[in-house]
């Protein structure tokens, strides 16, 4: 039964989004939404977590025959940043958000989180060296509009209310948190498969 979770679409086709905005796509009928091409989108702050938890999680998920997305592993020179990342979010089944001390001062992290929450993905938060109560939008108003800041704050409020994993890099076991996170991801994917009636 679980082996079916690992045998998702063998041939991935590029998602053609043409001139539709991503939010228009989200509000479209279920048949118009992109089909899942990825299992997991890993949202993280590269300077904090790319060289440790994010890459180890990606490698662990690949070893389990899942299809994760991590920007430094899935993108190549010449890819359009927003198009590629937005498509990856919309075509993923679940999302892992690795919150870290510098997460909230990144426009890209907050944009990704907002799109994840707006698209109603199953989210597995990992709080790495930060508590949920410490999360707040830290980017300057000069870099984005008030509407965007409110959008980011809504997404953060929603994400903070989801039970997640915690990791303290001074005391914690990185291998253990990556294994636990991978196990939780597999459980969520199995639940989604069961909900979709694919068993």
């Amino acid at each position: 039964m679980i082996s079916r979770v690992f045998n998702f679409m063998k041939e991935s086709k590029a998602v053609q989004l043409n001139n539709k905005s991503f939010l228009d796509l989200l509000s479209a009928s279920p048949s118009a939404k992109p089909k899942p091409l990825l299992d997991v989108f890993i949202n993280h702050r590269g300077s904090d977590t790319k060289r440790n938890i994010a890459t180890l999680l990606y490698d662990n998920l690949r070893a389990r025959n899942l299809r994760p997305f991590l920007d430094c592993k899935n993108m190549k020179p010449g890819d359009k940043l927003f198009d590629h990342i937005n498509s990856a979010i919309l075509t993923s089944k679940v999302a892992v958000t690795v919150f870290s001390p510098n997460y909230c001062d990144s426009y890209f992290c907050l944009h990704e989180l907002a799109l994840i929450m707006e698209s109603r993905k199953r989210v597995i938060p990992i709080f790495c060296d930060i508590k949920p109560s410490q999360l707040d939008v830290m980017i300057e108003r000069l870099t984005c509009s008030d509407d965007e800041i409110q959008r980011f704050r809504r997404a953060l409020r929603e994400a903070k209310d989801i039970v997640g994993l915690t990791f303290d890099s001074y005391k914690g076991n990185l291998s253990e948190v990556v294994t636990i996170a991978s196990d939780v991801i597999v459980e969520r994917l199995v639940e989604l498969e069961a909900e979709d009636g694919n068993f």
Side-chain angles (χ1 to χ4, degrees):
M1 178 164 70
I2 291 180
S3 64
R4 290 192 62 176
V5 172
F6 303 122
N7 293 324
F8 297 117
M9 310 153 116
K10 293 192 179 185
E11 293 180 16
S12 297
K13 295 181 181 176
V15 176
Q16 298 296 321
L17 297 175
N18 298 329
N19 293 324
K20 285 188 171 186
S21 78
F22 290 102
L23 294 178
D24 290 343
L25 188 60
L26 293 175
S27 63
S29 69
S31 62
K33 291 181 184 177
K35 292 185 175 156
L37 300 175
L38 298 163
D39 296 312
V40 186
F41 182 88
I42 302 171
N43 167 248
H44 70 292
R45 178 72 163 136
S47 60
D48 290 342
T49 61
K50 189 179 303 285
R51 291 195 173 126
N52 50 51
I53 196 166
T55 300
L56 289 172
L57 181 60
Y58 175 89
D59 292 342
N60 191 295
L61 294 170
R62 292 282 300 177
R64 294 174 185 231
N65 294 321
L66 294 176
R67 295 167 303 167
F69 179 92
L70 183 64
D71 55 0
C72 64
K73 299 281 192 171
N74 295 79
M75 294 181 66
K76 52 192 178 299
D79 285 343
K80 290 187 176 182
L81 187 64
F82 277 108
D83 290 350
H84 205 75
I85 286 177
N86 290 351
S87 293
I89 291 169
L90 294 173
T91 61
S92 293
K93 295 179 179 182
V94 299
V96 172
T97 300
V98 183
F99 292 109
S100 58
N102 295 306
Y103 181 94
C104 289
D105 63 4
S106 166
Y107 178 88
F108 290 104
C109 289
L110 294 168
H111 166 76
E112 291 171 12
L113 177 66
L115 187 56
I116 288 165
M117 302 312 283
E118 290 161 355
S119 61
R120 298 286 171 225
K121 299 290 175 195
R122 294 259 177 115
V123 179
I124 300 152
I126 300 174
F127 299 97
C128 183
D129 295 327
I130 195 165
K131 296 176 184 174
S133 61
Q134 295 173 300
L135 296 172
D136 192 18
V137 176
M138 303 302 285
I139 54 179
E140 297 178 21
R141 292 193 185 277
L142 299 174
T143 52
C144 58
S145 70
D146 287 340
D147 287 343
E148 283 180 302
I149 289 174
Q150 290 308 312
R151 178 178 176 238
F152 298 159
R153 285 202 168 120
R154 262 192 315 275
L156 274 172
R157 274 193 308 272
E158 201 174 328
K160 288 194 287 190
D161 287 340
I162 300 171
V163 175
L165 303 169
T166 58
F167 177 70
D168 180 335
S169 61
Y170 293 109
K171 299 185 236 175
N173 180 330
L174 187 57
S175 176
E176 184 178 296
V177 77
V178 166
T179 300
I180 292 169
S182 297
D183 291 344
V184 170
I185 291 165
V186 169
E187 288 173 21
R188 294 298 165 263
L189 289 170
V190 170
E191 288 171 6
L192 284 172
E193 286 290 310
E195 287 173 14
D196 289 344
N198 290 332
F199 282 118

